Amino acid sequence: MRILFPLSTIITSVSALSLTELCTKSNAQSALPVAGFYNGITVDSSSVVATIGTNYSIRSNTFFPDATINYCNISFAYTHNGRGDLVHVAYWVPEPSKFRSRFLATGGGGLAINSGASTVSGGVSIGAVSGYTDGGFGNFNTNADAIFLLANGTVNWESAYMFGYQAIHEMTVLGKELARNLFGIKNGTKLYAYYQGCSEGGREGWSQVQRYSNELDGASIGAPAFRYSHQQIQHLYSNVVEKTLDYYPPPCEMMAIVNATIKACDPLDGKRDGVVARTDLCKLHFNINSTIGLPYSCAAFSGGRGFGPGSGSPTPAQNGTISAKAVAVAQTILNGIHDLHGRQVYFSYQPSATFADAQTSYNNATGQWELSISGLGAEFVTRYIDLVNSSTLPNLNGVTYDTLKEWIYHLWQTYDDSFQVNWPDLTRFEEAGGKVIHYHGESDDSIPAASSVRYWESVRSVMYPGLSYNDSATKIQDFYRLFLVPGGAHCGANQYQPNGAWPQNSLTQLIDWVEKGIEPNLLNGTVSMGAQKGENQKICLWPLRPYYGGSNGTELECVYDQVSLDTWHYNLDAWKMPVW
Ligand SMILES: *[C@@H]1O[C@H](CO)[C@@H](O)[C@H](O)[C@H]1NC(C)=O
Ligand SMILES: *[C@@H]1O[C@H](CO)[C@@H](O)[C@H](O)[C@H]1NC(C)=O
Ligand SMILES: *[C@@H]1O[C@H](CO)[C@@H](O)[C@H](O)[C@H]1NC(C)=O
Ligand SMILES: *[C@@H]1O[C@H](CO)[C@@H](O)[C@H](O)[C@H]1NC(C)=O
Ligand SMILES: *[C@@H]1O[C@H](CO)[C@@H](O)[C@H](O)[C@H]1NC(C)=O
Ligand SMILES: *[C@@H]1O[C@H](CO)[C@@H](O)[C@H](O)[C@H]1NC(C)=O
Ligand SMILES: *[C@@H]1O[C@H](CO)[C@@H](O)[C@H](O)[C@H]1NC(C)=O
Ligand SMILES: *[C@@H]1O[C@H](CO)[C@@H](O)[C@H](O)[C@H]1NC(C)=O
Ligand SMILES: *[C@@H]1O[C@H](CO)[C@@H](O)[C@H](O)[C@H]1NC(C)=O
Ligand SMILES: *[C@@H]1O[C@H](CO)[C@@H](O)[C@H](O)[C@H]1NC(C)=O
Ligand SMILES: *[C@@H]1O[C@H](CO)[C@@H](O)[C@H](O)[C@H]1NC(C)=O
Ligand SMILES: *[C@@H]1O[C@H](CO)[C@@H](O)[C@H](O)[C@H]1NC(C)=O
Ligand SMILES: [Ca+2]
């Protein structure tokens, strides 16, 4: 263990404090950032609340190993001078004896700006003061969309920028200072600062890395929703395909296509384990038409997702054989959005991902499956383009593939400097010594895995224009490493490929990289479900791809495969602007 504060008697006394002694309102108040610390922000010291939590149990958390922790939750409110708003932040502080001179910033998911206890608890388990924010949206449970409009037609821009990047930044800068003051960290003593988040939380992480070169020493970022405008409208594409092809597949039929895809593509990676570790080889060698005519069958569920138990409305038993129409829907979805001139607008999920966006709904009166418009996509048309207080689209009448392109363009231009977070030049962050571990489930059905590949590729080509592909791919690994997780779903392990490992302790690997210089050449994954639960598997560093060789297919090789790599790169020729 590192000796953190060998010279300071003050600090020795802080380390010797019990949690009870540390966790008082007055102690927390005296550790607040002083007036003027953050230009434009005034902290309300009377708002401080300090509460002890004991024996908090972290179990089956996607991003942190099991642990039991004690903490002090210190929260307070601040205002932006001249704005009259109120922003709440909360920090979980470890027991003084377990503090490792670390700070962890956390973000949210979906339209939430925080994940509450589920991520700050993990931060405490690695000895970090761990913070989250309410963005000034009212309270910790208010989502960003709830306050996005002041009235129909009037955007609350202050909150849009808070959600975009500002709130996480402020929470982090204030929290680092709180941690320094609480533990008496002197100028010159290192307080390591990290970020951890996935999906929207991943977008928020990149928003910090791209803008603030000295804020973080490292970020562990999963499946970021950072190419926001493209990403959100992409959720509507599957529905527009169904409408255009006039076929609304029973969900069981689409799931059967996915199952057949997984079965056929599983062995292409050299190991028959139910995991499609090489969706690129699947793209190259599997003809989805071969699923036409296969039988499918799903039982009725009183609350189902159409293809199995879930929380949806009742679904009937579904039986049949996979139709050419369903396969056409599936193939068109996998091809990605093209405009009416055939030019590519965006890309899609990898084969083996479920067709979550294509979910239809059952009409019990007619006995038909009908269009069910993706709630993830619809709100970006109503609230963020039309600026009306609604999260649902009544129908897709008149909507074509060109309409999707127009919607993306509108969102892109309107929110390029707030929600869209794909700035490709990370030179300042690199020069400041920052590190990023970026991972993405290869079978993600909500954010295409190719989205992360495209950004890594953008950073590589923008930052090292003079170097060859291989040289720049080597250079970028000095500070930014991408890993595709075989079989992984959206920000978690995949119940349809249960033998795939998930990198639950990627934050620990990031810390080892930052603090000890141990480079993550492989990400460390653990199987979290099924018969192989607990098994350890390594995950290859992009652009190398996994292949299981050896006499028995158990030896992981990370191989360079140009033909496979080419399938991940798209010419988005529908746009005149570069899409980073
Ligand atoms: C926490 O767990 C420990 C060990 O099991 C136990 O001794 C202690 O009483 C528990 N504390 C509380 C407040 O439950
Ligand atoms: C931390 O404390 C604040 C103030 O009491 C409370 O609003 C918040 O819910 C607490 N956070 C967690 C994750 O328990
Ligand atoms: C939007 O509608 C919700 C109820 O659905 C309401 O609580 C909220 O105040 C409305 N917001 C605006 C700006 O009209
Ligand atoms: C703390 O360190 C910074 C940067 O090294 C320096 O600019 C500043 O003057 C120092 N402050 C004090 C109080 O020593
Ligand atoms: C797909 O495979 C899963 C097992 O991974 C199974 O539970 C499910 O019933 C299958 N669904 C269909 C429609 O074949
Ligand atoms: C699949 O079948 C459709 C319809 O017959 C055809 O247009 C398409 O080219 C086929 N795809 C492949 C890859 O064979
Ligand atoms: C459809 O409606 C009938 C009659 O109300 C009911 O018995 C049946 O359970 C419903 N089925 C589904 C799938 O909702
Ligand atoms: C659908 O398949 C299930 C399971 O094999 C069976 O129990 C059910 O009777 C079938 N329903 C129809 C309408 O064929
Ligand atoms: C705002 O727009 C929503 C959605 O169109 C509508 O339901 C609501 O009535 C409008 N509110 C006002 C005050 O016009
Ligand atoms: C790039 O490196 C890989 C091995 O990592 C090698 O197979 C490939 O030939 C190299 N490409 C070029 C153009 O040198
Ligand atoms: C890798 O994960 C396993 C759990 O599967 C854990 O025991 C081990 O310490 C981890 N190794 C590293 C380097 O993080
Ligand atoms: C299978 O591969 C593993 C890992 O390389 C090796 O340890 C083991 O001896 C191999 N088993 C057989 C039967 O070849
Ligand atoms: Ca496999």
Side-chain angles (χ1 to χ4, degrees):
M1 198 217 303
R2 261 162 36 86
I3 298 165
L4 296 172
F5 317 114
L7 300 177
S8 164
T9 48
I10 300 169
I11 288 158
T12 307
S13 67
V14 172
S15 308
L17 277 183
S18 70
L19 189 62
T20 319
E21 288 161 334
L22 174 129
C23 200
T24 65
K25 179 169 179 170
S26 63
N27 194 43
Q29 281 174 325
S30 60
L32 290 175
V34 298
F37 168 77
Y38 194 122
N39 185 25
I41 281 180
T42 299
V43 173
D44 173 8
S45 82
S46 71
S47 69
V48 167
V49 178
T51 321
I52 285 192
T54 46
N55 290 352
Y56 182 94
S57 177
I58 303 170
R59 294 288 177 274
S60 304
N61 186 301
T62 307
F63 303 104
F64 298 96
D66 289 357
T68 301
I69 58 160
N70 300 323
Y71 64 88
C72 173
N73 173 2
I74 296 178
S75 73
F76 59 86
Y78 66 86
T79 186
H80 294 98
N81 301 342
R83 200 183 283 176
D85 60 351
L86 202 58
V87 184
H88 301 94
V89 286
Y91 303 91
W92 278 23
V93 179
E95 290 173 74
S97 63
K98 300 204 167 147
F99 177 62
R100 295 290 171 272
S101 203
R102 293 172 185 147
F103 179 83
L104 182 74
T106 71
L111 287 158
I113 195 168
N114 70 71
S115 311
S118 75
T119 49
V120 285
S121 58
V124 170
S125 73
I126 51 120
V129 172
S130 308
Y132 71 100
T133 176
D134 81 345
F137 307 157
N139 61 56
F140 289 114
N141 299 319
T142 306
N143 282 359
D145 56 340
I147 44 71
F148 174 74
L149 294 174
L150 294 167
N152 286 352
T154 306
V155 172
N156 182 348
W157 279 109
E158 310 288 14
S159 76
Y161 285 104
M162 284 294 275
F163 188 59
Y165 57 88
Q166 198 188 333
I168 302 276
H169 176 60
E170 291 169 353
M171 176 273 289
T172 305
V173 173
L174 295 174
K176 284 166 69 176
E177 182 68 1
L178 176 77
R180 285 180 189 288
N181 293 344
L182 268 179
F183 291 100
I185 298 177
K186 287 262 164 62
N187 213 9
T189 302
K190 183 75 179 164
L191 172 74
Y192 289 100
Y194 299 101
Y195 180 90
Q196 192 277 329
C198 202
S199 194
E200 163 59 21
R203 188 197 67 78
E204 289 159 353
W206 276 117
S207 79
Q208 306 302 293
V209 169
Q210 291 168 8
R211 281 186 174 77
Y212 308 108
S213 54
N214 291 309
E215 178 182 318
L216 299 169
D217 296 288
S220 168
I221 293 178
F226 52 179
R227 206 173 294 99
Y228 208 71
S229 318
H230 303 72
Q231 166 58 32
Q232 306 298 4
I233 295 301
Q234 134 83 13
H235 278 303
L236 290 172
Y237 174 55
S238 297
N239 296 146
V240 178
V241 170
E242 291 169 331
K243 187 152 190 303
T244 304
L245 300 183
D246 193 24
Y247 184 65
Y248 304 95
C252 183
E253 188 177 24
M254 296 304 274
M255 197 57 221
I257 293 174
V258 172
N259 279 0
T261 303
I262 293 171
K263 192 170 176 215
C265 294
D266 166 16
L268 298 178
D269 57 27
K271 182 163 72 166
R272 203 180 282 275
D273 59 352
V275 178
V276 184
R278 290 296 294 279
T279 60
D280 41 30
L281 294 176
C282 189
K283 244 179 148 166
L284 288 166
H285 300 302
F286 176 61
N287 186 344
I288 198 172
N289 284 355
S290 65
T291 66
I292 295 171
L294 293 179
Y296 66 85
S297 158
C298 294
F301 287 98
S302 55
R305 287 163 302 173
F307 51 86
S311 56
S313 42
T315 53
Q318 301 158 62
N319 306 58
T321 54
I322 294 174
S323 64
K325 283 190 159 185
V327 167
V329 165
Q331 185 63 63
T332 311
I333 290 170
L334 292 174
N335 290 347
I337 312 176
H338 289 69
D339 68 13
L340 295 178
H341 293 97
R343 295 174 300 209
Q344 186 141 21
V345 175
Y346 208 50
F347 38 76
S348 186
Y349 310 109
Q350 295 298 110
S352 74
T354 76
F355 292 96
D357 288 343
Q359 176 84 47
T360 49
S361 63
Y362 184 66
N363 182 330
N364 200 11
T366 63
Q368 301 293 308
W369 290 91
E370 295 178 346
L371 184 68
S372 168
I373 299 174
S374 162
L376 292 170
E379 182 164 19
F380 291 89
V381 178
T382 54
R383 195 180 308 278
Y384 293 85
I385 294 177
D386 295 343
L387 308 183
V388 294
N389 190 15
S390 162
S391 57
T392 56
L393 273 174
N395 58 62
L396 291 177
N397 294 347
V399 173
T400 68
Y401 301 135
D402 277 1
T403 315
L404 296 178
K405 179 180 159 185
E406 284 305 310
W407 282 341
I408 292 172
Y409 204 85
H410 185 109
L411 287 171
W412 189 1
Q413 287 199 313
T414 309
Y415 305 109
D416 198 21
D417 67 342
S418 50
F419 308 139
Q420 187 99 355
V421 168
N422 55 343
W423 189 274
D425 178 11
L426 307 178
T427 303
R428 289 159 65 248
F429 182 80
E430 179 196 32
E431 286 175 357
K435 310 273 187 245
V436 179
I437 288 180
H438 176 167
Y439 54 90
H440 201 134
E442 191 157 326
S443 297
D444 192 318
D445 61 4
S446 184
I447 299 181
S451 166
S452 286
V453 171
R454 186 176 189 85
Y455 180 69
W456 181 91
E457 184 63 21
S458 296
V459 175
R460 184 198 63 76
S461 60
V462 164
M463 285 184 64
Y464 314 107
L467 298 183
S468 70
Y469 179 85
N470 275 0
D471 287 350
S472 57
T474 302
K475 185 88 180 106
I476 194 174
Q477 318 288 12
D478 287 348
F479 83 103
Y480 170 18
R481 297 187 180 209
L482 172 66
F483 300 85
L484 297 188
V485 182
H490 184 58
C491 292
N494 188 347
Q495 59 174 310
Y496 300 107
Q497 300 180 54
N499 297 331
W502 185 257
Q504 188 192 39
N505 52 16
S506 61
L507 181 59
T508 308
Q509 283 192 273
L510 175 74
I511 289 172
D512 284 348
W513 191 12
V514 168
E515 297 182 15
K516 299 181 190 158
I518 301 172
E519 296 178 350
N521 294 319
L522 295 161
L523 216 50
N524 188 24
T526 311
V527 178
S528 61
M529 58 175 84
Q532 288 165 232
K533 185 170 175 177
E535 184 182 286
N536 186 250
Q537 294 173 9
K538 302 300 181 198
I539 298 165
C540 291
L541 174 60
W542 184 265
L544 302 182
R545 304 264 54 221
Y547 187 80
Y548 297 91
S551 57
N552 59 13
T554 53
E555 275 171 51
L556 172 66
E557 299 163 23
C558 298
V559 300
Y560 185 92
D561 179 347
Q562 191 62 56
V563 178
S564 287
L565 291 185
D566 290 345
T567 69
W568 291 92
H569 301 147
Y570 295 88
N571 177 18
L572 301 185
D573 57 347
W575 307 107
K576 306 284 188 199
M577 291 274 287
V579 182
W580 304 120

